[in-house]
Amino acid sequence: MNRAESSHGEWQLHIDWTRCDGRGVCTELLPGVLGRDDWGFPLTRDHRDPVVGTDRIAAARDAVDLCPRLALRLDRTRRT
Ligand code: SF4
């Protein structure tokens, strides 16, 4: 997959909670997608992987790349 492919469609941001240690880099890069708790851990709506639209995909890719614990992954949304 290359960056050009990632600009189309919607993606879901998956957080590996076994790796995340709450430094909050992702919440700073994606304020409209992720909230942040008092300890710096990301908060997601209904505890589901948040959907990332095309307008936020660049920031989401940055969050994946910059997560110090390699805890983030982007997956294509599944349409049913
Ligand atoms: S950047 Fe990574 S380690 Fe830090 S809060 Fe986000 S998912 Fe967790």
Side-chain angles (χ1 to χ4, degrees):
M1 170 179 34
N2 61 39
R3 297 240 176 201
E5 289 173 324
S6 70
S7 64
H8 300 288
E10 289 184 328
W11 295 76
Q12 280 182 294
L13 186 67
H14 175 74
I15 302 169
D16 181 346
W17 296 107
T18 67
R19 289 178 176 261
C20 175
D21 68 356
R23 298 182 189 194
V25 173
C26 56
T27 62
E28 293 176 15
L29 290 169
L30 294 165
V33 176
L34 297 172
R36 185 174 181 169
D37 72 10
D38 292 342
W39 296 273
F41 285 90
L43 294 172
T44 62
R45 187 174 299 168
D46 300 329
H47 305 290
R48 295 174 187 250
D49 291 348
V51 173
V52 179
T54 54
D55 58 329
R56 303 258 171 95
I57 193 66
R61 288 244 172 247
D62 286 345
V64 170
D65 291 345
L66 294 172
C67 172
R69 301 286 297 170
L70 305 177
L72 298 174
R73 185 183 77 228
L74 279 170
D75 298 322
R76 276 207 184 277
T77 56
R78 296 176 187 208
R79 299 189 187 277
T80 55

Coordinates of all heavy atoms in Angstrom, one line a residue:
M1 N 0.8 -1.2 0.0 CA 0.0 0.0 0.0 C 0.9 1.2 0.0 O 1.9 1.3 0.7 CB -0.9 0.0 1.2 CG -1.6 1.2 1.5 SD -2.7 1.2 2.9 CE -1.8 0.2 4.1
N2 N 0.5 2.2 -0.7 CA 1.3 3.5 -0.7 C 0.4 4.6 -0.3 O -0.8 4.4 0.0 CB 1.9 3.8 -2.1 CG 0.8 3.9 -3.2 OD1 -0.3 4.5 -2.9 ND2 1.0 3.4 -4.3
R3 N 1.0 5.8 -0.1 CA 0.2 6.9 0.4 C -0.9 7.3 -0.5 O -1.9 7.8 0.0 CB 1.2 8.1 0.7 CG 2.2 7.7 1.7 CD 2.1 8.7 2.9 NE 3.0 8.2 3.9 CZ 2.9 8.5 5.1 NH1 2.0 9.3 5.5 NH2 3.8 8.1 6.0
A4 N -0.7 7.2 -1.8 CA -1.8 7.6 -2.7 C -3.0 6.8 -2.5 O -4.2 7.3 -2.5 CB -1.3 7.5 -4.1
E5 N -2.9 5.5 -2.3 CA -4.0 4.6 -2.0 C -4.8 5.0 -0.8 O -6.0 4.9 -0.7 CB -3.5 3.1 -1.9 CG -3.1 2.5 -3.2 CD -2.5 1.2 -2.9 OE1 -1.8 1.0 -1.9 OE2 -2.7 0.3 -3.8
S6 N -4.0 5.5 0.2 CA -4.7 5.8 1.5 C -5.5 7.0 1.4 O -6.3 7.3 2.4 CB -3.6 6.0 2.6 OG -2.9 7.1 2.3
S7 N -5.5 7.8 0.4 CA -6.3 9.0 0.3 C -7.7 8.7 -0.1 O -8.5 9.6 -0.2 CB -5.6 10.0 -0.6 OG -5.6 9.5 -1.9
H8 N -8.1 7.5 -0.5 CA -9.4 7.2 -0.9 C -10.1 6.3 0.1 O -9.6 5.4 0.7 CB -9.3 6.4 -2.2 CG -8.7 7.2 -3.3 ND1 -9.2 8.3 -3.9 CD2 -7.4 7.1 -3.9 CE1 -8.4 8.8 -4.8 NE2 -7.3 8.1 -4.8
G9 N -11.4 6.6 0.3 CA -12.2 5.8 1.2 C -12.0 6.1 2.6 O -11.3 7.1 3.0
E10 N -12.6 5.3 3.5 CA -12.5 5.5 4.9 C -11.7 4.4 5.5 O -11.6 3.3 5.0 CB -13.9 5.5 5.6 CG -14.7 6.7 5.2 CD -16.0 6.8 5.9 OE1 -16.5 5.7 6.2 OE2 -16.4 7.9 6.3
W11 N -11.1 4.7 6.6 CA -10.2 3.8 7.4 C -10.6 3.8 8.8 O -11.3 4.7 9.3 CB -8.7 4.3 7.2 CG -8.2 4.2 5.8 CD1 -8.5 5.1 4.8 CD2 -7.4 3.2 5.3 NE1 -7.9 4.7 3.7 CE2 -7.1 3.6 3.9 CE3 -6.7 2.1 5.8 CZ2 -6.3 2.8 3.1 CZ3 -5.9 1.4 4.9 CH2 -5.7 1.7 3.6
Q12 N -10.2 2.7 9.5 CA -10.4 2.7 10.9 C -9.1 2.6 11.6 O -8.2 1.9 11.2 CB -11.3 1.4 11.3 CG -12.7 1.6 11.1 CD -13.5 0.4 11.5 OE1 -13.4 -0.6 10.9 NE2 -14.3 0.5 12.5
L13 N -9.0 3.3 12.7 CA -7.8 3.4 13.5 C -7.9 2.3 14.6 O -8.7 2.4 15.5 CB -7.6 4.8 14.1 CG -6.2 5.0 14.8 CD1 -5.1 4.9 13.8 CD2 -6.3 6.3 15.5
H14 N -7.0 1.4 14.6 CA -7.0 0.3 15.6 C -5.9 0.6 16.6 O -4.8 0.9 16.2 CB -6.8 -1.1 14.9 CG -6.7 -2.2 15.9 ND1 -7.8 -2.6 16.6 CD2 -5.6 -2.8 16.4 CE1 -7.4 -3.6 17.5 NE2 -6.1 -3.7 17.3
I15 N -6.3 0.5 17.9 CA -5.3 0.7 19.0 C -5.1 -0.6 19.6 O -6.0 -1.3 20.1 CB -5.8 1.7 20.0 CG1 -6.1 3.1 19.3 CG2 -4.8 1.9 21.1 CD1 -6.9 4.0 20.2
D16 N -3.8 -1.0 19.7 CA -3.4 -2.2 20.4 C -3.2 -1.8 21.9 O -2.2 -1.3 22.2 CB -2.1 -2.8 19.8 CG -1.7 -4.1 20.5 OD1 -2.2 -4.4 21.6 OD2 -0.8 -4.8 19.9
W17 N -4.2 -2.1 22.7 CA -4.1 -1.7 24.1 C -3.1 -2.4 24.9 O -2.7 -2.0 26.0 CB -5.5 -1.9 24.7 CG -6.5 -1.0 24.1 CD1 -7.6 -1.4 23.3 CD2 -6.7 0.4 24.2 NE1 -8.3 -0.3 22.9 CE2 -7.8 0.8 23.4 CE3 -5.9 1.4 24.9 CZ2 -8.1 2.1 23.3 CZ3 -6.3 2.7 24.8 CH2 -7.4 3.1 24.0
T18 N -2.6 -3.5 24.4 CA -1.5 -4.2 25.1 C -0.2 -3.5 24.9 O 0.8 -3.8 25.6 CB -1.3 -5.7 24.6 OG1 -0.9 -5.7 23.2 CG2 -2.7 -6.4 24.7
R19 N -0.1 -2.6 23.9 CA 1.1 -1.9 23.6 C 1.0 -0.4 24.2 O 2.0 0.1 24.6 CB 1.4 -1.8 22.2 CG 1.9 -3.1 21.6 CD 2.1 -3.0 20.1 NE 2.6 -4.2 19.5 CZ 3.9 -4.4 19.2 NH1 4.8 -3.5 19.4 NH2 4.3 -5.5 18.7
C20 N -0.1 0.2 24.0 CA -0.3 1.6 24.3 C 0.1 1.9 25.8 O -0.4 1.2 26.7 CB -1.7 2.0 24.1 SG -2.1 3.7 24.6
D21 N 0.9 2.9 26.0 CA 1.2 3.3 27.4 C 0.8 4.8 27.7 O 1.2 5.4 28.6 CB 2.7 3.1 27.7 CG 3.6 4.0 26.9 OD1 3.1 4.8 26.1 OD2 4.8 4.0 27.2
G22 N -0.1 5.3 26.8 CA -0.8 6.5 27.1 C 0.1 7.8 27.0 O -0.2 8.8 27.8
R23 N 1.0 7.8 26.1 CA 1.8 9.1 26.0 C 1.0 10.2 25.3 O 1.4 11.4 25.3 CB 3.1 8.8 25.3 CG 3.9 7.8 26.1 CD 5.2 7.6 25.4 NE 5.9 6.5 26.1 CZ 7.2 6.2 25.9 NH1 7.9 6.9 25.1 NH2 7.7 5.2 26.6
G24 N 0.0 9.8 24.5 CA -0.9 10.8 24.0 C -0.5 11.4 22.7 O -1.2 12.4 22.3
V25 N 0.5 11.0 22.0 CA 0.9 11.6 20.7 C -0.3 11.5 19.8 O -0.6 12.5 19.1 CB 2.1 10.9 20.1 CG1 2.4 11.4 18.7 CG2 3.3 11.0 21.0
C26 N -1.0 10.4 19.7 CA -2.1 10.2 18.8 C -3.2 11.2 19.1 O -3.9 11.7 18.2 CB -2.6 8.8 18.8 SG -3.1 8.2 20.5
T27 N -3.5 11.5 20.4 CA -4.6 12.3 20.7 C -4.3 13.8 20.3 O -5.2 14.6 20.0 CB -4.9 12.3 22.2 OG1 -3.8 12.7 23.0 CG2 -5.3 10.9 22.6
E28 N -3.0 14.1 20.3 CA -2.6 15.5 19.9 C -2.8 15.6 18.4 O -3.1 16.7 17.9 CB -1.2 15.8 20.3 CG -1.0 15.9 21.8 CD 0.4 16.1 22.3 OE1 1.2 16.4 21.4 OE2 0.7 15.9 23.4
L29 N -2.5 14.6 17.6 CA -2.6 14.6 16.2 C -4.0 14.5 15.7 O -4.3 14.9 14.6 CB -1.7 13.5 15.6 CG -0.2 13.8 15.7 CD1 0.6 12.5 15.3 CD2 0.3 14.9 14.9
L30 N -4.8 13.8 16.4 CA -6.2 13.5 16.0 C -7.2 14.0 17.0 O -8.0 13.1 17.5 CB -6.3 12.0 15.7 CG -5.5 11.4 14.6 CD1 -5.4 9.9 14.7 CD2 -6.0 11.9 13.3
P31 N -7.3 15.3 17.3 CA -8.2 15.7 18.3 C -9.7 15.5 18.0 O -10.5 15.3 18.9 CB -7.9 17.2 18.5 CG -7.3 17.6 17.1 CD -6.5 16.4 16.7
G32 N -10.0 15.4 16.8 CA -11.4 15.2 16.4 C -11.8 13.8 16.4 O -13.0 13.4 16.3
V33 N -10.8 12.9 16.4 CA -11.0 11.5 16.3 C -10.9 10.8 17.7 O -11.7 9.9 18.0 CB -10.0 10.9 15.3 CG1 -10.2 9.3 15.2 CG2 -10.2 11.5 13.9
L34 N -9.9 11.2 18.4 CA -9.6 10.6 19.7 C -9.7 11.6 20.8 O -9.3 12.7 20.7 CB -8.2 10.0 19.7 CG -7.9 8.9 18.7 CD1 -6.4 8.6 18.7 CD2 -8.7 7.7 19.1
G35 N -10.4 11.2 21.9 CA -10.3 12.0 23.2 C -9.1 11.5 24.0 O -8.3 10.7 23.5
R36 N -9.0 12.0 25.2 CA -7.8 11.7 26.0 C -8.3 11.6 27.5 O -9.0 12.5 27.9 CB -6.8 12.7 25.8 CG -5.5 12.5 26.5 CD -4.5 13.5 26.1 NE -3.2 13.3 26.7 CZ -2.1 13.9 26.4 NH1 -2.1 14.9 25.5 NH2 -0.9 13.7 27.0
D37 N -7.9 10.5 28.2 CA -8.3 10.5 29.6 C -7.3 11.2 30.4 O -6.3 11.7 29.9 CB -8.6 9.0 30.0 CG -7.3 8.2 30.1 OD1 -6.2 8.8 30.1 OD2 -7.4 7.0 30.2
D38 N -7.5 11.2 31.7 CA -6.6 11.9 32.7 C -5.2 11.4 32.7 O -4.3 12.1 33.2 CB -7.2 11.8 34.1 CG -8.5 12.6 34.2 OD1 -8.8 13.5 33.3 OD2 -9.3 12.4 35.2
W39 N -5.0 10.2 32.2 CA -3.7 9.6 32.2 C -3.0 9.6 30.8 O -1.9 9.0 30.6 CB -3.7 8.1 32.7 CG -4.2 8.1 34.1 CD1 -3.4 8.1 35.2 CD2 -5.6 7.9 34.6 NE1 -4.2 8.1 36.4 CE2 -5.5 8.0 36.0 CE3 -6.8 7.8 33.9 CZ2 -6.7 7.9 36.7 CZ3 -7.9 7.7 34.7 CH2 -7.9 7.7 36.0
G40 N -3.7 10.3 29.9 CA -3.1 10.4 28.5 C -3.4 9.3 27.6 O -2.9 9.2 26.5
F41 N -4.3 8.4 28.0 CA -4.7 7.3 27.1 C -5.8 7.8 26.2 O -6.6 8.6 26.6 CB -5.2 6.1 27.9 CG -4.1 5.3 28.6 CD1 -3.7 5.6 29.9 CD2 -3.5 4.2 27.9 CE1 -2.7 4.9 30.5 CE2 -2.5 3.5 28.5 CZ -2.1 3.8 29.8
P42 N -5.7 7.3 24.9 CA -6.8 7.7 24.0 C -8.1 7.2 24.3 O -8.2 6.1 24.9 CB -6.3 7.2 22.6 CG -5.3 6.1 23.0 CD -4.7 6.4 24.3
L43 N -9.1 8.0 24.1 CA -10.5 7.6 24.3 C -11.2 7.5 22.9 O -11.1 8.4 22.1 CB -11.3 8.6 25.2 CG -10.8 8.7 26.6 CD1 -11.5 9.9 27.3 CD2 -11.1 7.4 27.4
T44 N -11.9 6.4 22.7 CA -12.7 6.2 21.5 C -14.2 6.2 21.8 O -14.6 5.7 22.9 CB -12.3 5.0 20.7 OG1 -12.6 3.8 21.6 CG2 -10.8 5.0 20.4
R45 N -15.0 6.6 20.9 CA -16.4 6.5 21.1 C -16.9 5.1 21.2 O -16.6 4.3 20.3 CB -17.1 7.3 19.9 CG -18.6 7.4 20.1 CD -19.2 8.3 19.0 NE -18.5 9.6 19.0 CZ -18.7 10.5 18.0 NH1 -19.4 10.2 17.0 NH2 -18.1 11.6 18.1
D46 N -17.6 4.8 22.2 CA -18.2 3.4 22.4 C -17.1 2.3 22.4 O -17.5 1.2 22.1 CB -19.3 3.1 21.3 CG -20.4 4.1 21.3 OD1 -20.7 4.7 22.4 OD2 -21.0 4.4 20.2
H47 N -15.9 2.7 22.7 CA -14.8 1.7 22.7 C -14.6 1.0 21.4 O -14.2 -0.1 21.3 CB -15.0 0.7 23.9 CG -15.2 1.4 25.2 ND1 -14.2 2.0 25.8 CD2 -16.3 1.5 26.0 CE1 -14.6 2.5 27.0 NE2 -15.9 2.2 27.1
R48 N -15.0 1.7 20.3 CA -14.8 1.1 19.0 C -13.7 1.8 18.3 O -13.4 2.9 18.6 CB -16.1 1.2 18.1 CG -17.3 0.5 18.7 CD -18.5 0.9 17.9 NE -19.7 0.3 18.5 CZ -20.4 -0.7 17.9 NH1 -20.0 -1.2 16.8 NH2 -21.4 -1.2 18.5
D49 N -13.1 1.1 17.3 CA -12.1 1.7 16.5 C -12.7 2.9 15.7 O -13.7 2.7 15.0 CB -11.5 0.7 15.5 CG -10.7 -0.4 16.1 OD1 -10.4 -0.3 17.3 OD2 -10.4 -1.4 15.4
P50 N -12.1 4.1 15.9 CA -12.7 5.2 15.2 C -12.5 5.2 13.7 O -11.5 4.8 13.2 CB -12.0 6.4 15.8 CG -10.7 5.9 16.4 CD -11.0 4.5 16.7
V51 N -13.5 5.7 13.0 CA -13.4 5.8 11.5 C -12.7 7.1 11.2 O -12.9 8.1 11.8 CB -14.8 5.8 10.9 CG1 -14.7 6.2 9.4 CG2 -15.5 4.5 11.1
V52 N -11.8 7.0 10.3 CA -11.0 8.2 9.9 C -11.3 8.5 8.4 O -11.1 7.7 7.5 CB -9.5 7.9 10.0 CG1 -8.6 9.1 9.5 CG2 -9.1 7.5 11.4
G53 N -11.9 9.6 8.2 CA -12.2 10.1 6.8 C -11.0 10.6 6.1 O -9.9 10.7 6.6
T54 N -11.2 10.9 4.8 CA -10.1 11.3 4.0 C -9.5 12.6 4.4 O -8.3 12.8 4.2 CB -10.6 11.5 2.5 OG1 -11.7 12.4 2.5 CG2 -11.0 10.1 1.9
D55 N -10.3 13.4 5.1 CA -9.8 14.7 5.6 C -8.8 14.5 6.8 O -8.0 15.4 7.0 CB -10.9 15.6 6.0 CG -11.8 15.0 7.1 OD1 -11.9 13.7 7.1 OD2 -12.3 15.7 8.0
R56 N -8.8 13.4 7.4 CA -7.9 13.2 8.5 C -6.8 12.1 8.3 O -6.1 11.7 9.2 CB -8.7 12.8 9.8 CG -9.8 13.8 10.1 CD -9.3 14.7 11.3 NE -10.2 15.8 11.5 CZ -11.2 15.8 12.4 NH1 -11.4 14.7 13.1 NH2 -11.9 16.8 12.5
I57 N -6.8 11.5 7.1 CA -6.0 10.3 6.9 C -4.5 10.7 7.0 O -3.7 9.9 7.5 CB -6.3 9.7 5.5 CG1 -5.7 8.3 5.4 CG2 -5.9 10.5 4.3 CD1 -6.2 7.3 6.4
A58 N -4.1 11.9 6.6 CA -2.7 12.2 6.7 C -2.3 12.3 8.2 O -1.2 11.8 8.6 CB -2.4 13.6 6.0
A59 N -3.1 12.9 9.0 CA -2.8 13.0 10.4 C -2.8 11.6 11.1 O -2.0 11.3 12.0 CB -3.8 13.9 11.1
A60 N -3.7 10.8 10.6 CA -3.8 9.4 11.2 C -2.5 8.6 10.8 O -2.0 7.9 11.6 CB -5.0 8.7 10.6
R61 N -2.1 8.8 9.6 CA -0.8 8.1 9.2 C 0.4 8.6 10.0 O 1.2 7.9 10.4 CB -0.5 8.4 7.7 CG -1.5 7.7 6.8 CD -0.7 6.6 5.9 NE -1.6 5.8 5.2 CZ -1.8 4.5 5.5 NH1 -1.1 3.9 6.4 NH2 -2.7 3.8 4.8
D62 N 0.4 9.9 10.3 CA 1.4 10.5 11.1 C 1.4 9.9 12.5 O 2.4 9.5 13.1 CB 1.3 12.0 11.2 CG 1.7 12.7 10.0 OD1 2.4 12.1 9.1 OD2 1.4 13.9 9.8
A63 N 0.2 9.7 13.0 CA 0.0 9.1 14.4 C 0.5 7.7 14.4 O 1.2 7.3 15.3 CB -1.5 9.2 14.8
V64 N 0.2 6.9 13.3 CA 0.7 5.6 13.2 C 2.2 5.6 13.2 O 2.9 4.8 13.9 CB 0.1 4.9 12.0 CG1 0.8 3.5 11.7 CG2 -1.4 4.7 12.1
D65 N 2.8 6.4 12.4 CA 4.2 6.5 12.3 C 5.0 7.0 13.5 O 6.1 6.5 13.8 CB 4.6 7.4 11.1 CG 4.3 6.8 9.7 OD1 4.0 5.6 9.7 OD2 4.2 7.6 8.8
L66 N 4.3 7.9 14.3 CA 5.0 8.5 15.4 C 4.6 7.8 16.8 O 5.3 8.2 17.8 CB 4.6 10.0 15.5 CG 5.1 10.8 14.3 CD1 4.5 12.2 14.4 CD2 6.6 10.9 14.4
C67 N 3.7 6.9 16.8 CA 3.4 6.2 18.1 C 4.6 5.6 18.6 O 5.2 4.7 17.9 CB 2.3 5.2 17.8 SG 2.0 4.2 19.3
P68 N 5.1 5.9 19.8 CA 6.3 5.4 20.3 C 6.2 3.9 20.7 O 7.3 3.3 20.8 CB 6.6 6.2 21.5 CG 5.3 6.8 21.9 CD 4.5 6.9 20.7
R69 N 5.0 3.4 20.8 CA 4.8 2.0 21.1 C 4.4 1.1 20.0 O 4.0 0.0 20.2 CB 3.8 1.9 22.3 CG 4.2 2.7 23.5 CD 5.3 2.0 24.3 NE 4.8 0.7 24.7 CZ 5.6 -0.2 25.3 NH1 6.9 0.0 25.4 NH2 5.1 -1.4 25.7
L70 N 4.3 1.7 18.8 CA 3.8 1.0 17.6 C 2.5 0.3 17.9 O 2.2 -0.8 17.5 CB 4.9 -0.1 17.2 CG 6.3 0.4 16.9 CD1 7.2 -0.8 16.5 CD2 6.3 1.4 15.8
A71 N 1.6 1.1 18.5 CA 0.3 0.5 19.0 C -0.8 0.8 18.0 O -1.9 0.4 18.2 CB 0.0 1.1 20.3
L72 N -0.5 1.6 16.9 CA -1.6 2.0 16.0 C -1.5 1.4 14.7 O -0.4 1.1 14.2 CB -1.6 3.5 15.9 CG -1.8 4.4 17.1 CD1 -1.5 5.8 16.8 CD2 -3.2 4.1 17.7
R73 N -2.7 1.1 14.1 CA -2.7 0.5 12.8 C -4.0 1.0 12.1 O -5.0 1.2 12.7 CB -2.9 -1.0 12.9 CG -2.8 -1.8 11.6 CD -3.0 -3.3 11.8 NE -4.4 -3.6 12.1 CZ -4.9 -4.3 13.0 NH1 -4.1 -4.9 13.9 NH2 -6.2 -4.6 13.2
L74 N -3.9 1.3 10.8 CA -5.0 1.7 10.0 C -5.5 0.5 9.2 O -4.7 -0.1 8.5 CB -4.7 2.9 9.1 CG -4.6 4.3 9.7 CD1 -4.0 5.3 8.8 CD2 -6.0 4.7 10.1
D75 N -6.8 0.3 9.2 CA -7.4 -0.8 8.4 C -8.5 -0.1 7.6 O -9.2 0.8 8.1 CB -8.1 -1.8 9.3 CG -7.1 -2.5 10.2 OD1 -5.9 -2.8 9.7 OD2 -7.4 -2.8 11.4
R76 N -8.7 -0.6 6.4 CA -9.8 -0.2 5.6 C -11.2 -0.5 6.3 O -11.3 -1.6 6.9 CB -9.8 -0.8 4.2 CG -8.9 -0.1 3.2 CD -9.4 -0.4 1.8 NE -8.5 0.2 0.9 CZ -8.6 1.5 0.5 NH1 -9.4 2.3 1.0 NH2 -7.7 1.9 -0.4
T77 N -12.1 0.4 6.2 CA -13.4 0.1 6.7 C -14.1 -1.0 5.9 O -13.9 -1.1 4.7 CB -14.4 1.3 6.8 OG1 -14.4 1.8 5.5 CG2 -13.8 2.3 7.7
R78 N -14.9 -1.8 6.5 CA -15.6 -2.9 5.8 C -17.0 -2.4 5.6 O -17.7 -2.1 6.5 CB -15.6 -4.2 6.6 CG -14.2 -4.7 6.8 CD -14.2 -5.9 7.7 NE -12.8 -6.3 8.0 CZ -12.4 -7.5 8.2 NH1 -13.3 -8.5 8.2 NH2 -11.2 -7.7 8.4
R79 N -17.4 -2.4 4.3 CA -18.7 -2.0 4.0 C -19.6 -3.3 3.8 O -19.2 -4.2 3.2 CB -18.7 -1.3 2.7 CG -17.9 0.0 2.8 CD -18.1 0.9 1.6 NE -17.2 2.0 1.6 CZ -17.4 3.1 2.3 NH1 -18.5 3.2 2.9 NH2 -16.5 4.1 2.3
T80 N -20.8 -3.3 4.5 CA -21.6 -4.4 4.5 C -22.9 -4.1 3.6 O -23.2 -3.0 3.3 CB -22.1 -4.8 5.9 OG1 -22.7 -3.7 6.5 CG2 -20.9 -5.3 6.7
Ligands
SF4_1 S1 0.6 7.5 20.6 FE1 0.6 5.2 20.8 S2 1.3 4.8 22.9 FE2 0.8 7.0 22.8 S3 -1.4 7.1 23.5 FE3 -1.4 6.9 21.3 S4 -1.6 4.7 20.9 FE4 -0.9 5.0 23.0

